[in-house]
């Protein structure tokens, strides 16, 4: 319960029943210390899990690490974070609840070697923690003594700042998502339950700037595939919008029509059947729960070793959707000045470089556009242009390790290894565990490649 009190102390006096029931939901357990699964030792090819009585240990790739945090409610599974110095990395091992077993984390099955090098960025933590404390300008460094000051996702994530409401508990001075217009109402859920193919913050904004009551596009825009796509883990909003139920409701059906964010139902099948019956009289002609046939569990292409509820509410036997193309569209259009910028950055983020360049070359060059154009020039074999753009970008953000690393890569491609090394070393000064900087240094000085590899390994062992 201590996790909740960090985020909900102001809510307890007036809403103790709701807050205590919220402690049983997945949001309240979004990040926590390793729990009962930690006691189950297991091993596989090149990896092992052990509990020494006080700590959970993961071993992979010849390294063994103590787990700092478990991520996820545990309904389907959990992933794990390790702390190395003031940096956070993802373990290659996850717990899969339905199987009751450990296995490789999503994405690691494709890796040739298992390691603890996958950085956990603040953007990753946005939907999994109430609040993290990143070091500005770095990829995955955090305040050393308190990297995640608010682990649990609390009331404020959906209801906004509750300071005024805590002093004067009137309904009008706190956000009630159900009372908002459909766009703002749905944005409360979409901030975490709509990953899309790409998410693009507005200039000068971060995902954490979103506050309940806003439209999502006031802070960032989500871009989805224009054609069909694979079934994904975090696409609940997109799936629901495709359903005939949502279309026929004309914006009335939303997440909270069926889900109670404050508590989990004691009898889930009966709870959800009641929700179906609310719109569909006599909705069980075969005696089975509606969700058994119309919302089955399905494997997600990015989920690995587990299944997730399909929110498209389809007829049984509906043909599977297959990928058509890589064209993107905004979930909702941002304001006119940001449309070409947002779509262009989304294309760059998904690897559609030519489509991205066609949109970005004529837009106002803020920091993110500059970085994207620089990488586009570098990728298209125009390193001198890349240096010009990325040099300007690095000067405007001299404390950003990734900006300096981008410039170093462009300088190397432009035949300036000395300057490239200097910028890579500057990036390491800001972020000592920035692995790609050591990889680049090994490329700059191939005769010393072993030294740079060893230097990175030595720092990771600290």
């Amino acid at each position: 319960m201590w996790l909740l009190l960090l985020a909900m102390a102001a809510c307890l006096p007036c809403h103790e029943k709701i807050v205590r029931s919220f402690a049983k939901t997945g949001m309240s357990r979004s990040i926590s210390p390793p729990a009962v699964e930690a006691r189950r030792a297991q091993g596989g090819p090149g990896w092992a899990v052990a509990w020494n009585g006080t700590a959970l240990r993961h071993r992979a790739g010849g390294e063994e690490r103590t787990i700092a945090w478990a991520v996820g409610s545990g309904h389907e599974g959990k992933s794990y974070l390790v702390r190395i110095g003031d940096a956070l990395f993802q373990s290659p091992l996850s717990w899969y609840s339905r199987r009751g077993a450990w296995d490789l984390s999503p994405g690691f099955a494709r890796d040739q070697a298992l390691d603890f090098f996958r950085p956990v960025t603040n953007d990753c933590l946005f939907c999994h923690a109430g609040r993290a404390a990143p070091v500005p300008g770095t990829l995955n460094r955090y305040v050393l003594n308190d990297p995640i000051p608010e682990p649990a996702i609390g009331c404020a994530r959906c209801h906004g700042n509750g300071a005024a409401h805590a002093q004067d508990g009137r309904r009008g001075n706190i956000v009630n998502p159900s009372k908002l217009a459909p766009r703002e109402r749905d944005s409360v859920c979409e901030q975490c339950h709509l990953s899309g193919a790409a998410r693009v913050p507005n200039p000068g904004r971060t995902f954490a700037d979103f506050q309940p009551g806003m439209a999502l596009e006031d802070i960032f825009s989500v871009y989805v595939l224009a054609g069909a796509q694979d079934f994904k883990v975090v696409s609940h909003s997109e799936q629901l919008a495709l359903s005939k139920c949502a279309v026929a409701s004309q914006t009335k059906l939303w997440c909270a029509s069926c889900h109670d964010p404050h508590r989990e139902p004691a009898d889930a099948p009966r709870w959800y059947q009641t929700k179906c019956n609310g719109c569909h009289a006599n909705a069980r002609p075969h005696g089975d729960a509606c969700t058994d046939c119309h919302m089955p569990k399905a494997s997600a292409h990015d989920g690995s070793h587990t299944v997730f509820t399909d929110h498209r509410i389809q007829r049984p036997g509906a043909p599977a959707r297959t990928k058509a193309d890589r064209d993107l569209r905004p979930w909702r259009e941002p304001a006119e000045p940001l449309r070409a910028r947002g779509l262009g950055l989304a294309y760059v983020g998904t690897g559609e470089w030519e489509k991205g360049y066609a949109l970005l070359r004529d837009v106002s060059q803020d920091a993110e556009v500059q970085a994207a154009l620089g990488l586009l020039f570098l990728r298209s074999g125009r390193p001198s242009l890349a240096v010009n753009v990325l040099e300007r970008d690095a000067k405007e953000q001299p404390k950003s390790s990734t900006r300096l690393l981008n410039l170093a890569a462009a300088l190397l491609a432009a035949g300036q290894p000395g300057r490239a090394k200097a910028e890579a070393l500057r990036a390491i000064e800001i972020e000592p565990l920035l692995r790609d900087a050591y990889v680049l240094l090994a490329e700059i000085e191939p005769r010393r490649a072993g030294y740079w590899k060893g230097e990175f390994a030595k720092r990771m062992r600290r």
Side-chain angles (χ1 to χ4, degrees), residues 204-222:
R205 293 291 198 173
T206 68
F207 298 128
D209 291 330
F210 175 80
Q211 294 295 317
M214 295 178 172
L216 207 66
E217 292 72 32
D218 293 339
I219 304 300
F220 64 92
S221 294
V222 180

Side-chain angles (χ1 to χ4, degrees), residues 76-363:
E76 300 296 335
K78 294 182 181 181
S79 292
Y80 297 85
L81 310 184
V82 299
R83 289 180 63 178
I84 303 174
D86 63 357
L88 294 178
F89 295 87
Q90 183 183 355
S91 169
L93 307 176
S94 289
W95 171 256
Y96 294 93
S97 304
R98 292 185 183 276
R99 293 171 53 201
W102 294 93
D103 214 322
L104 300 182
S105 301
F108 279 96
R110 297 188 298 270
D111 293 349
Q112 293 182 348
L114 300 180
D115 56 46
F116 294 90
F117 300 158
R118 184 184 289 182
V120 176
T121 68
N122 190 41
D123 290 348
C124 296
L125 292 177
F126 169 66
C127 289
H128 290 288
R131 181 171 64 88
V135 175
T138 67
L139 188 66
N140 63 319
R141 286 182 61 200
Y142 297 84
V143 173
L144 181 60
N145 296 327
D146 200 8
I148 308 177
E150 295 178 13
I153 295 175
C155 304
R157 181 56 63 91
C158 299
H159 296 286
N161 190 326
H165 187 68
Q167 293 182 357
D168 179 7
R170 291 179 292 108
R171 293 184 178 182
N173 61 8
I174 192 74
V175 174
N176 181 346
S178 67
K179 303 298 183 183
L180 297 173
R183 182 182 186 186
E184 287 74 17
R185 176 200 68 194
D186 294 344
S187 292
V188 173
C189 303
E190 290 166 357
Q191 63 177 308
C192 289
H193 290 276
L194 177 67
S195 63
R199 292 178 145 212
V200 179
N202 294 347
R205 293 291 198 173
T206 68
F207 298 128
D209 291 330
F210 175 80
Q211 294 295 317
M214 295 178 172
L216 207 66
E217 292 72 32
D218 293 339
I219 304 300
F220 64 92
S221 294
V222 180
Y223 295 84
V224 300
L225 291 176
Q229 66 173 320
D230 289 333
F231 181 64
K232 296 176 61 179
V233 174
V234 188
S235 59
H236 313 82
S237 297
E238 187 178 0
Q239 294 167 27
L240 184 63
L242 293 169
S243 70
K244 289 186 177 180
C245 293
V247 173
S249 77
Q250 298 182 338
T251 74
K252 292 181 181 179
L253 180 67
W254 69 299
C255 302
S257 298
C258 300
H259 294 283
D260 185 340
H262 297 126
R263 61 183 63 82
E264 293 178 358
D267 184 350
R270 183 184 297 273
W271 168 274
Y272 291 116
Q273 187 57 49
T274 300
K275 298 301 179 181
C276 294
N277 291 341
C279 296
H280 305 277
N282 302 317
R284 301 176 67 183
H286 303 293
D288 297 323
C290 296
T291 54
D292 289 346
C293 296
H294 297 282
M295 299 181 70
K297 298 284 186 179
S299 297
H301 79 91
D302 55 347
S304 182
H305 302 299
T306 190
V307 292
F308 300 87
T309 299
D310 188 339
H311 283 71
R312 291 174 290 188
I313 318 179
Q314 302 180 103
R315 289 182 177 276
R321 304 177 73 221
T322 56
K323 284 184 179 178
D325 54 50
R326 300 300 299 175
D327 284 343
L328 300 177
R329 64 175 178 85
W331 180 247
R332 285 186 294 266
E333 285 282 10
E336 177 58 44
L338 299 176
R339 291 183 180 180
R341 173 192 182 273
L343 186 57
L345 289 175
Y347 273 125
V348 170
T350 57
E352 296 291 323
W353 301 91
E354 292 183 5
K355 293 177 181 177
Y357 178 68
L359 290 161
L360 294 178
R361 60 188 176 188
D362 297 323
V363 305

Side-chain angles (χ1 to χ4, degrees), residues 6-17:
L6 290 171
M8 304 181 196
C11 303
L12 274 168
C14 298
H15 306 291
E16 184 169 0
K17 184 177 180 180

